[in-house]
Amino acid sequence: QVQLVQSGAEVKKPGASVKVSCKASGYTFASYGISWVRQAPGQGLEWMGWISAYNGNTNYARNLQGRVTMTIDTSTSTAYMELRSLRSDDTAVYYCARDITSGCLRYWGQGTLVTVSS
Amino acid sequence: DIQMTQSPSTLSASVGDTVTITCRASQSISAWLAWYQQKPGKVPKLLIYKASTLDSGVPSRFSGSGSGTEFTLTISGLQPDDFATYYCQQYNGYLWTFGQGTKVESK
């Protein structure tokens, strides 16, 4: 069965960077894209971007361009999301998700809490 | 960017009620719309995609309709398990966005 297993919780200081991993299993990794979605405490879902696991092409949300980088490692079937210049309002649960057709996110990781605090 | 606006933000209903949530796009997205259900502390669950296609295993009391800029999610015969927050999401083009969510709570 499809599984996405994310790395553990992180605590970072403002201005630092964080890199969250998402290890996929149960399917052919290169056949589907991975999206990253975040959710601040008590808030809604925010789509951050998407990466093709086939060729590494990316699309990023405009408000995060310049601060976010998504990458893949096909040898380990792992996707990564790095967010730089962290601010307190980046405190959120970060999810990776795999689509079934482009944009439809059926499979989700368990989420990674990133706390940004001085 | 395409903005998605859901209404209402909160909906109070009873078991057995039929409830409808509306999602409006700031420009036409054809039928490239999905609906998700999220319960507190849980990951979102895909309910419907391409505006009206029920995902595998989703009860038939859920239905979606619409195209262009206006979409609806209907729950016919609300069940106790349906009290949750619902999000629409557009996936037209390369930049995707979620609506702000609609919380369905017990009246």
Side-chain angles (χ1 to χ4, degrees):
Chain A
Q1 71 282 20
V2 175
Q3 278 196 304
L4 301 173
V5 179
Q6 298 182 221
S7 49
E10 304 260 14
V11 179
K12 296 292 182 180
K13 293 195 183 302
S17 299
V18 68
K19 191 170 187 176
V20 180
S21 67
C22 171
K23 184 170 177 58
S25 62
Y27 70 98
T28 301
F29 183 65
S31 296
Y32 297 90
I34 295 285
S35 282
W36 290 88
V37 176
R38 69 179 179 178
Q39 187 168 36
Q43 302 300 308
L45 302 172
E46 179 186 8
W47 179 80
M48 301 178 66
W50 170 91
I51 182 165
S52 165
Y54 175 71
N55 58 17
N57 285 352
T58 54
N59 299 316
Y60 299 137
R62 287 195 210 279
N63 65 320
L64 293 173
Q65 282 197 8
R67 285 207 301 140
V68 68
T69 301
M70 296 175 189
T71 56
I72 53 169
D73 181 344
T74 55
S75 69
T76 60
S77 299
T78 302
Y80 298 91
M81 186 283 300
E82 181 180 32
L83 189 61
R84 300 175 293 278
S85 302
L86 289 168
R87 311 184 292 243
S88 57
D89 62 357
D90 292 316
T91 294
V93 175
Y94 288 75
Y95 295 103
C96 62
R98 199 213 86 177
D99 48 32
I100 48 172
T101 66
S102 182
C104 310
L105 307 177
R106 177 189 284 171
Y107 303 103
W108 293 69
Q110 82 276 20
T112 296
L113 175 62
V114 175
T115 303
V116 182
S117 174
S118 54
Chain B
D1 295 4
I2 299 174
Q3 309 302 317
M4 306 301 293
T5 304
Q6 288 182 234
S7 59
S9 296
T10 306
L11 190 160
S12 297
S14 301
V15 172
D17 286 353
T18 293
V19 302
T20 299
I21 299 168
T22 297
C23 181
R24 289 186 173 85
S26 59
Q27 66 189 71
S28 177
I29 58 169
S30 185
W32 304 119
L33 185 98
W35 290 96
Y36 299 84
Q37 176 194 67
Q38 188 181 32
K39 297 178 181 178
K42 303 294 187 182
V43 303
K45 175 186 176 182
L46 177 65
L47 297 176
I48 287 168
Y49 59 96
K50 210 172 178 185
S52 61
T53 302
L54 219 58
D55 196 25
S56 175
V58 175
S60 59
R61 62 181 180 272
F62 290 93
S63 62
S65 65
S67 67
T69 62
E70 188 149 338
F71 302 85
T72 59
L73 171 70
T74 300
I75 310 172
S76 302
L78 195 70
Q79 296 300 300
D81 191 48
D82 301 337
F83 293 104
T85 299
Y86 294 83
Y87 295 92
C88 63
Q89 176 228 340
Q90 66 82 17
Y91 52 100
N92 183 65
Y94 298 108
L95 300 180
W96 305 337
T97 43
F98 286 92
Q100 81 277 18
T102 295
K103 183 178 182 180
V104 176
E105 63 180 23
S106 180
K107 185 184 289 184

